[in-house]
Amino acid sequence: MKNTYLYIFCFSLLSLGSCSLDTEPLTQLTDTNFYKTTDDAYTALVGCYDGLQVATGASGLGVPVISEVMSDDCFGGTGNSDGFNYAAIDEFDITRSPSDVDLLNGNWIGYYKALYRCNVFLSKMDQIDWKGNTTLRKTYESETKFIRAYLYFEMVRLWGNIPLLTEPSSENVPQANPDEVYKVIAQDLVFASDNLPATAYNATTGGRITKWAAKSLLGRVYLYYTGYYGKTDLVGVVTKAQALGHLENVIASSGHGLVDDFSTLWPAASVDKYAGESNKENVFAIKYTYTSDYNGNTDGNHWLVMFGMREFSSYPYGRGWGITVNSKLWNVYAANDTRRVATVIGIDEEKIAFDKKNSQREYTGYYNKKYTPMVDKDGKDLPLTMGSQFWDISQFQDYVVLRYADVLLMAAELGSGNAQAYFDEVRKRAYKANFTTLPVNADNILKERHLEFALEGVRYWDLLRQGIGTASSTIAETTTLLNGGVPGTKTITAAKIQATKGLQQIPNTQITLSNGVLKQNAGW
Amino acid sequence: MKSKYCMKTTMSSFCTALLFSLFMIQSGFAQAQSRSVSGNVISTVDGMGIPGASVAVQGTKIGTTTDFDGNYKIEAKSGDVLVFTFIGFKSQKITVGSQQSINVKLEEETSELKEVVVIGYGSQKRTLVTNAVTQVSGENLTKTNTTNALQALQGQAAGLQVTSTSGQPGEGLNVVIRGAGSTSGTSPLYVVDGILTGDISYLNNSDIESISVLKDAASAAIYGSQASNGVILVTTKKGKRGAGGQMTFDQYYGVQSVARKVDLLNATEYGVMLNEAAVNSGKNPYFTNDQIAALGSGTNWMDHMLTDNAATKNFSFGASGGSDTSVYSTSLSYLGQEGVVGGKDLSNYERYNFRFNSEHKLYKDVVTLGENLSFAYIDKNGIGVGNQYNNSLRSAFQATPLLPMFDADGNYYDTTSDNEPWLAGAANPYAMMVYNNQNESNNQKLLGNVYLQIEPIKNLTFRTTLGLDYYAGEGHSYSPVYQLSIYANSAFDKVNQNMNKGKTITWDNLLSYKFDAAENHHFETMLGTSSINYDGTSISATNADVIFDDLEHAWLNNTTNKDGAKMSMTGLKQETKRMSYFGRLNYNYKETYLLNATFRMDGSSIFSKENQWGYFPSVSGGWIASNEEFLKDSNVINFLKLRASWGQVGNQNARAFQYLSTIKSNNTNYIFGDTEGVLTPGAYPDRLSNLDLKWETSEQIDFGFDARFLNNALSVTFDYYNKKSKDWLILAPILATAGADAPFINGGDVVNEGVELSLSYQNKIGDFSYNISANGAYNKNTVGKIPNADGIIHGLSNELYDNAGEFYRAQNGFPLGYFWGYKTGGVFQNQDQINNYKSASGVVLQPNAAPGDIIYQNVNGDDKIDASDKTEIGKPNPDFTFGFSLSANYKAFDFSLMANGVAGNQIVQSYRNQAGAYGNYTSAILDRWHGEGSSNTVPRVTEDNRNFTQFSDLYIQDGDFLRISTVTLGFDLAKMKQSKPFFASQFRVYFSVLNLYTFTKYDGMDPEIGFGSSNDDQKFSSGVDVGYYPRPRTFMMGLNVKL
């Protein structure tokens, strides 16, 4: 057995090669080393704002865009050889583009990703060392809940029937009763209204969610829910009087007010006179900037380009993909209403030498002026002048969700004692010297809202909350539009709108992934 | 190895026990009384005595060698078995009876019997191999004159499919062994001189001694977790013991041109098509007949993009030799290849290789030490060859011929101020290629090992090997300010500079022992450990506003921009660790009944502690029937071996740390305040974790035989295999409500089943000798068990043209990566046909169609044509792959021809962006419908491209081809009858044509299309032609000198 020692020697040599397998990610945070300090908390909060920005600005189809396409103010338009997805949305008719079974899948994914950020952050509140600063905690919690409420509100308006998650889950969650969703929205907004500091808007960093934003959004949610679903209060959480109270509080204490000249709210309508992104009328906006690229940065307004004139720039208006504005909108304004030329680009009216009718589908001669890409005097796209390389995805115009004018008109609609004064304040700004008084009533308020908020992504929901009957009959239309320069008949039928209840298609990919737990909306 | 990481595991004690139990078998042989036996050993060839032949008493240490005349004398007793062996001869065994003298005649071995095959962690006599292993000699690789070994392997081994991902010099190749088995790629494991590495394209063909392709699981299982896609073992050239020194010089020079250009419409044809599309879209035509006639031929963009006579050249110098104790082999080589698209400035590859291998025996051969070292320096630049947005050639396919190359001042034509619809927005594709591909990069790879082997007692060896795979690379690029159209412009210039480096250190320890347990029972055992540690770093930065405007000065120090939005930078480090234990047992009885078993356990740091280890067993057996009595003297069958094997191997191609949930902080920002571009950083959890992630496993059975007939002139190898790859590491789509990116999960499988056949015939008629060999493989692949509800891993959209939908998938019951779209049924000829095209219940299926539009088949039989009618309309993986070669020698002349091909696959061809009305077409559109009865295959043209915006079989073509890849005629001056001794043993000049001709019905430039998808997680996609850099045809002259 003298060789035994040799064998043992050899084996010990073999075992020398044994090494541990311990490694860790060297350039990546993990959830085991995050959500600890107040710095982490702020970073996570910014992550939630980013989620909101990506979900509403860079995912799927722009909701402000499709809100306009669904309304009576815009047509699907776009390129003459493009697919017909915008037409399907415009006409509430999937047979216009039968293969588009995933029209809004990008939006759906973007929303749930943003919600996941909020839900994870809310679930980590207790493990963060706040160093006794409960105000800070409540502020961050309120902002996060506002973002969650805003996302759910957009989703539940759009689809009606959506899975509701208030904490992270990988389970196959079925669609919730809309009431449950509205309850979470209402509770989150009430929490934010109660817990955000009562600081004047101009003492808060621009873009941060304020108490006033929460209260104003609550008013919008109240009006939409009670209107569309025919209820008398907001799922038992907020009464009409409470909703009005919040709005009156904004009017009394926020420091917000109307800018003098309506056109200065819109960069393309006022150019050098633009009132700026933090003007006093801006109650809540989702902010975008020009740093989007194709390497993962998604800070830009990716949908703005849809509203631009098809492939054509004319100072100050930039090129885009050509969602067209219904000529009826131009005609609904009185000639002395300053809002008309601030809202709509009229190709003939402004003598624009537009020569891309060949590429434009559903040409009407009108485009959106409130939201349009812009160029400088040399015809250079503004994002490029800022240093971006991407004129299309790096548009940086913020989306103004709520203006003070809206607060005034909502308060009037909810029966404020000052209803006539609020109503007149908005109309006086619009008509200037030509102002003549009009009695405040529900009908007049809704008509005024159309003129005031046209092309801002508000109109469709204002129609829908008057009931699907009113909405469908207002939107339905048969007209003649130019497709690639060739006249064609455009028909939007009320029956199709009614069949869908005004709701959108649930993405088929999600339905199949859920193995049928998710159900498609009627009419799709 | 740092000692702090090292620890002893329980594994080694287990292995000790195992080996000892084997050792026990040999004990207990009693010694008995001996006497002297003598005799001589002669060769059957010439009847002369063989000096130095070994004579041994089997099972003992008694042995001697023959003297100069072949005589020997040895102590043995009756019943002992004497074993006579000599290199190059068949060994013989004779049992000692009562005789004093035993004379032996040794038969010379045929070359096949001598041949040794390189297998994992060792080598084996070819006759004893029980697995599906194909070995290709370096000589056969060099013959192809290709730039790298993978391309040289094309068509040389049955069941090995090699496809270029691009014809650009230095681009990668797709290598598939026995069918695509995973969604995470098919790339096999490469092992160079025992060192595991990810790629062998850095090697020069002339440095390669041989390549072994381990195809079945049983041969690959010794590499465990790395081997599920098969293993390619490369051995570089070594010196030969006792051989004198030899120097070699090889050189070639060739010119390359594109073999077949795609036929695009000229300006006149294009004008006709534009008019027709306008009329079909309800408009007036753009041109009058006179105007069309005046358009002429316009700009031929393909001619501008492609370069003729691009050079390719190679020089290599080698030397090798050895004494009785030391051998060495060294080489130095240069290879340069210019691209045929854009020429040398835009597309070029140059490589310098250095190799030094040596081995030394010390202390009477007890200690062997040596090293293998190779270094490659690669200079490379190239154009975009990726998806539709990163493909420089693609834009030339669709650029209008009405766009001029230059303006009146000789600058690239800028369409910004043009209003003609076909010019507005169009950009000069040649200028785009020049502007966007100003880059150069170089990288270095050092791969080598140092080993020490001790053999303290005969047949017991311990070998320790320290290996290094080191790479470093750097690159920079310049993108200038330019204006070509309203879309193609760049407002500021930019410089990118990047560097990366990394190393893998391997430490292998092997203990092996050979012994005979009893008469005719031969064992070879091996135990080993291997530890592999990788770490690598990379950094890349981009900045703008350069003070020079050329590539030469494109370095970050020359940039002046201070604006954050125009800058970007990344930098990261990664590490992974692996630890493995493995063993092998080879057993044979009389070299006739063969058994081979291996086992490997692998641990990897990329999985969680609980799932870190994987276990990979294999077993195989063989029976050499021709050794049996009933075949032994057969004149027909010279050799016949039947084989069977089973094994499991793994795949760990998941990204690391999937068991942790990561927090994403890059690209996560929000803007507060009014100053555009000022960002506040945020973070969020972006990916779900999966603690349960484990190895992907591939299980394979293989039955085969090796046979030789007709006096060993014809050899045949046949294999049947069934390979099931399961528990894929996949990113299966999850419900959006989960809120984060999907983690890698285990799920899905694919079964590849097929047969392989290789034939080789050699013969000699006087001075004329020739060899014909052919191989072919059939493979069928079926996906199953994808674990999400719809059983589909969806492909990407936007791959073929703007707004294109999904067109390839991995789906249960279908071939991996099959093409998913509408089946068409011809073209509507008139309105009646449209009105009568109804579903079973009488609903008109395409009410909006017009005559000339394509007919979509109503596959599911319902009342509408929609996505549910999309179905399998093709597949990228061929049913058959094959290759053949023919070589012949007559006196000083030699000739060879090689060919390879595939059959049964389809290609998706998409050159035109269907989002626009004015892109150019290939001449295939000339067959379009333009009036009743004019065409039933190609639909009418319209400005909205309505017949092409849905993915249908209009995009699909058969991908079958047979390529004559190399034809060579050589003449060796050294073989001429010389009046006085010639200075060289070989002085061969040759003329060669690469890619001489391709037989195919595919109408693109090249049917060999490896490109698939731009998503790295979807490597199962291939056969997608969105503008393919073709492989050139090369004419070359070369010289081989051996001194």
Side-chain angles (χ1 to χ4, degrees), chain A residues 7 17-18 20 22 29 31 43 50 53 81 99 113 117 206 277-278 287 289 311 319 358 389 484 510 512, chain B residues 5 7 20 283 486-487 494 509 579 581 609 661 663 669-670 673-674 676-677 683-684 736 741 789 822 915:
Chain A
Y7 299 145
S18 308
S20 118
D22 286 343
L29 280 169
D31 66 351
T43 307
D50 176 65
Q53 188 185 53
S81 49
S99 294
K113 283 191 166 176
R117 300 182 193 190
E277 292 178 340
S278 296
K287 297 186 67 65
T289 191
E311 297 172 14
R319 59 192 156 145
N358 269 337
Q389 297 169 71
Q510 302 301 329
T512 48
Chain B
Y5 292 130
M7 58 177 193
F20 273 116
K283 293 186 189 173
I486 55 168
Y487 299 115
K494 243 185 347 181
N509 289 291
M579 185 66 227
Y581 303 92
K609 283 268 182 295
S661 178
I663 304 290
N669 303 294
Y670 197 71
D674 282 358
E676 294 296 342
Y684 66 96
D741 290 343
Y822 288 110

Side-chain angles (χ1 to χ4, degrees), chain A residues 163-480:
Chain A
L164 175 68
L165 291 88
T166 51
E167 52 192 47
S169 166
S170 303
E171 299 299 308
N172 193 350
V173 184
Q175 282 142 309
N177 184 314
D179 284 355
E180 295 172 43
V181 182
Y182 277 99
K183 194 162 191 173
V184 169
I185 295 169
Q187 285 165 343
D188 280 351
L189 290 177
V190 168
F191 182 91
S193 300
D194 293 346
N195 288 291
L196 281 164
T199 334
Y201 87 92
N202 51 7
T204 316
T205 308
R208 287 290 284 273
I209 291 151
T210 62
K211 191 181 203 73
W212 323 118
K215 286 168 179 269
S216 305
L217 186 59
L218 197 52
R220 180 177 281 181
V221 173
Y222 179 91
L223 282 167
Y224 185 78
Y225 174 79
T226 53
Y228 184 75
Y229 292 100
K231 301 288 174 68
T232 51
D233 66 9
L234 183 51
V235 278
V237 180
V238 178
T239 63
K240 186 174 185 181
Q242 285 170 327
L244 177 60
H246 284 297
L247 294 171
E248 296 282 22
N249 184 226
V250 175
I251 293 165
S253 313
S254 67
H256 284 296
L258 296 183
V259 301
D260 296 336
D261 182 348
F262 182 83
S263 71
T264 63
L265 289 168
W266 314 108
S270 55
V271 196
D272 297 338
K273 296 190 190 119
Y274 176 48
E277 292 178 340
S278 296
N279 66 69
K280 63 178 176 179
E281 191 166 339
N282 182 351
V283 177
F284 175 63
I286 300 171
K287 297 186 67 65
Y288 301 106
T289 191
Y290 62 83
T291 46
S292 265
D293 58 28
Y294 288 101
N295 293 320
N297 281 305
T298 44
D299 311 302
N301 183 336
H302 292 205
W303 51 258
L304 189 70
V305 69
M306 295 308 304
F307 280 129
M309 294 183 286
R310 181 78 198 179
E311 297 172 14
F312 185 83
S313 300
S314 169
Y315 175 78
Y317 316 122
R319 59 192 156 145
W321 302 134
I323 297 285
T324 53
V325 170
N326 196 326
S327 54
K328 282 198 304 190
L329 178 64
W330 178 266
N331 297 324
V332 82
Y333 286 101
N336 60 9
D337 188 337
T338 61
R339 292 174 298 199
R340 172 150 85 175
V341 292
T343 303
V344 183
I345 300 170
I347 296 292
D348 293 339
E349 289 80 356
E350 300 187 37
K351 298 190 173 58
I352 295 168
F354 182 76
D355 63 2
K356 289 294 184 292
K357 286 184 194 169
N358 269 337
S359 326
Q360 174 76 62
R361 183 182 289 159
E362 301 183 341
Y363 178 76
T364 58
Y366 297 98
Y367 291 98
N368 188 342
K369 195 184 280 190
K370 286 178 171 175
Y371 289 98
T372 177
M374 292 173 69
V375 292
D376 68 8
K377 285 182 174 139
D378 302 327
K380 191 169 176 179
D381 302 279
L382 284 194
L384 304 187
T385 66
M386 306 292 283
S388 169
Q389 297 169 71
F390 308 104
W391 68 277
D392 47 356
I393 57 171
S394 261
Q395 297 290 344
F396 52 86
Q397 187 178 346
D398 295 350
Y399 177 54
V400 181
V401 174
L402 273 161
R403 289 196 281 119
Y404 183 67
D406 207 341
V407 177
L408 290 173
L409 291 179
M410 287 193 292
E413 194 174 340
L414 284 170
S416 163
N418 298 323
Q420 185 72 47
Y422 296 163
F423 187 58
D424 288 350
E425 194 180 342
V426 172
R427 294 189 67 251
K428 273 178 188 159
R429 188 215 7 213
Y431 293 94
K432 299 280 181 202
N434 298 315
F435 171 76
T436 51
T437 190
L438 203 66
V440 65
N441 60 44
D443 197 32
N444 282 341
I445 289 173
L446 281 161
K447 277 182 185 154
E448 200 59 40
R449 288 183 65 86
H450 187 198
L451 303 173
E452 178 72 19
F453 304 119
L455 308 184
E456 293 179 48
V458 172
R459 166 69 176 171
Y460 177 66
W461 310 109
D462 276 351
L463 285 174
L464 209 52
R465 71 181 168 90
Q466 298 174 56
I468 190 69
T470 309
S472 59
S473 60
T474 311
I475 297 167
E477 169 171 26
T478 298
T479 184
T480 299

Side-chain angles (χ1 to χ4, degrees), chain B residues 446-458:
Chain B
L446 177 68
L447 188 134
N449 62 31
V450 178
Y451 58 91
L452 174 76
Q453 180 174 309
I454 47 174
E455 192 169 356
I457 53 173
K458 194 158 173 57

Side-chain angles (χ1 to χ4, degrees), chain B residues 567-595:
Chain B
M567 287 179 196
S568 71
M569 60 211 79
T570 59
L572 58 91
K573 174 167 187 179
Q574 290 174 313
E575 4 173 86
T576 54
K577 296 180 179 180
R578 294 202 297 269
M579 185 66 227
S580 311
Y581 303 92
F582 47 88
R584 174 164 54 210
L585 172 69
N586 276 328
Y587 162 76
N588 72 64
Y589 176 71
K590 285 187 174 172
E591 296 203 341
T592 300
Y593 301 94
L594 317 168
L595 185 71

Side-chain angles (χ1 to χ4, degrees), chain B residues 800-812:
Chain B
L800 299 178
Y801 42 87
D802 288 353
N803 302 322
E806 175 190 356
F807 72 99
Y808 66 92
R809 296 176 152 187
Q811 181 175 4
N812 292 341

Side-chain angles (χ1 to χ4, degrees), chain B residues 346-527:
Chain B
L346 295 175
S347 177
N348 192 41
Y349 180 77
E350 284 183 290
R351 187 177 67 212
Y352 302 85
N353 283 90
F354 166 78
R355 176 179 56 82
F356 186 78
N357 296 341
S358 78
E359 186 176 274
H360 314 278
K361 304 243 182 199
L362 307 174
Y363 308 113
K364 294 184 178 171
D365 294 359
V366 169
V367 173
T368 308
L369 70 95
E371 87 294 306
N372 300 297
L373 194 68
S374 55
F375 176 77
Y377 182 99
I378 295 163
D379 260 324
K380 189 178 158 185
N381 53 6
I383 61 167
V385 290
N387 69 357
Q388 62 154 332
Y389 301 112
N390 297 299
N391 186 313
S392 301
L393 198 53
R394 178 181 171 83
S395 40
F397 285 91
Q398 45 186 338
T400 161
L402 299 180
L403 170 66
M405 178 79 167
F406 299 108
D407 62 17
D409 300 329
N411 299 316
Y412 291 131
Y413 194 88
D414 170 10
T415 61
T416 305
S417 50
D418 281 297
N419 290 323
E420 292 94 332
W422 46 89
L423 285 186
N428 179 329
Y430 182 81
M432 288 285 283
M433 175 170 77
V434 171
Y435 287 141
N436 290 320
N437 293 288
Q438 311 246 342
N439 61 69
E440 54 191 12
S441 68
N442 64 73
N443 56 74
Q444 299 85 47
K445 183 171 171 105
L446 177 68
L447 188 134
N449 62 31
V450 178
Y451 58 91
L452 174 76
Q453 180 174 309
I454 47 174
E455 192 169 356
I457 53 173
K458 194 158 173 57
N459 291 329
L460 173 72
T461 57
F462 174 77
R463 183 183 173 104
T464 184
T465 308
L466 199 58
L468 174 69
D469 178 359
Y470 177 87
Y471 68 87
E474 62 164 348
H476 73 140
S477 64
Y478 175 68
S479 101
V481 176
Y482 65 88
Q483 180 79 33
L484 293 171
S485 81
I486 55 168
Y487 299 115
N489 54 62
S490 174
F492 54 90
D493 56 4
K494 243 185 347 181
V495 163
N496 172 274
Q497 196 180 336
N498 60 74
M499 297 181 109
N500 61 78
K501 74 178 186 65
K503 65 173 189 303
T504 305
I505 290 186
T506 310
W507 191 25
D508 289 349
N509 289 291
L510 292 182
L511 185 62
S512 50
Y513 189 55
K514 295 186 212 176
F515 59 94
D516 292 312
E519 193 182 345
N520 296 326
H521 293 278
H522 181 72
F523 287 88
E524 293 184 16
T525 60
M526 186 268 285
L527 286 174

